[in-house]
Each structure stands twice: as C-alpha cells, then as structure tokens.
Amino acid sequence: MTLEWSAAALADLDRFAVFLHERHPELAKIVATEIRDRARVLAEHPLIGRPIEGRPEFRELVLDVLNARYVFRYATDGHRLVMLRVFHSRELRP
C-alpha cells in the first residue's frame, strides 16, 4: 500500500523536530525516523487502527516511539494510506 503524508502531518513532524532540537538535539532525527518507520507499518496493516467516532473513514492508532506515545491519524482507501496528523500523546489536539 502506498503511504502519503498530508501537509498537516508533515507540519506535525516539523513541529516535533523544532521542539526536540531545542531540548534534545540528538533525539530530533532519531524520533523523526522512528515515526516514519511506524507509519510504514500502518501502511502494511492499515486496519489495526480504530475508526474515529463520527468519522468512520478516518482511523487512529497510538504507538510507542522511543518511550513516548504518539497518535497517528490516517485514512485509507485500500490502495493508499494518507497520514493526516501525528500528535504526541501529551499534546492538546482537535
């Protein structure tokens, strides 16, 4: 299955990079790589995430990335998976 990243999801990755670079510069690149690796797993197994209430076309899954939890929100049509957003579990999110 093809994996695509929305502009909002890419902005989320940039936000994490800035945050980590300011506090733990050595982790910024490692975390970004780990998040991308986890997204590839979702592309291989797109139905492991739960449907989002009121938006059944969207799914979400919480995954551990280097001892932190990240929420992956995505949509799939059977041929491609589009990563919509990625949030750190401690973030406020819509």
Side-chain angles (χ1 to χ4, degrees):
M1 180 173 293
T2 304
L3 172 62
E4 299 175 15
W5 290 81
S6 70
L10 292 173
D12 293 333
L13 295 181
D14 288 344
R15 187 178 72 251
F16 300 147
V18 168
F19 177 85
L20 286 170
H21 187 68
E22 292 172 354
R23 290 159 182 80
H24 306 284
E26 67 284 356
L27 287 179
K29 189 172 185 175
I30 295 168
V31 169
T33 299
E34 289 294 319
I35 288 172
R36 287 193 306 272
D37 288 348
R38 297 301 191 275
R40 279 193 283 280
V41 169
L42 284 174
E44 295 170 13
H45 306 284
L47 299 180
I48 62 175
R50 68 174 182 79
I52 295 174
E53 186 175 335
R55 302 295 301 267
E57 68 276 19
F58 299 137
R59 301 180 84 79
E60 132 177 318
L61 185 66
V62 178
L63 294 170
D64 289 332
V65 176
L66 299 175
N67 297 321
R69 301 188 84 185
Y70 287 83
V71 179
F72 292 77
R73 287 191 181 165
Y74 61 96
T76 183
D77 63 7
H79 302 287
R80 67 188 181 120
L81 182 139
V82 178
M83 190 60 57
L84 303 171
R85 299 295 308 263
V86 181
F87 301 101
H88 189 281
S89 63
R90 293 185 180 178
E91 284 185 279
L92 294 176
R93 55 188 175 270

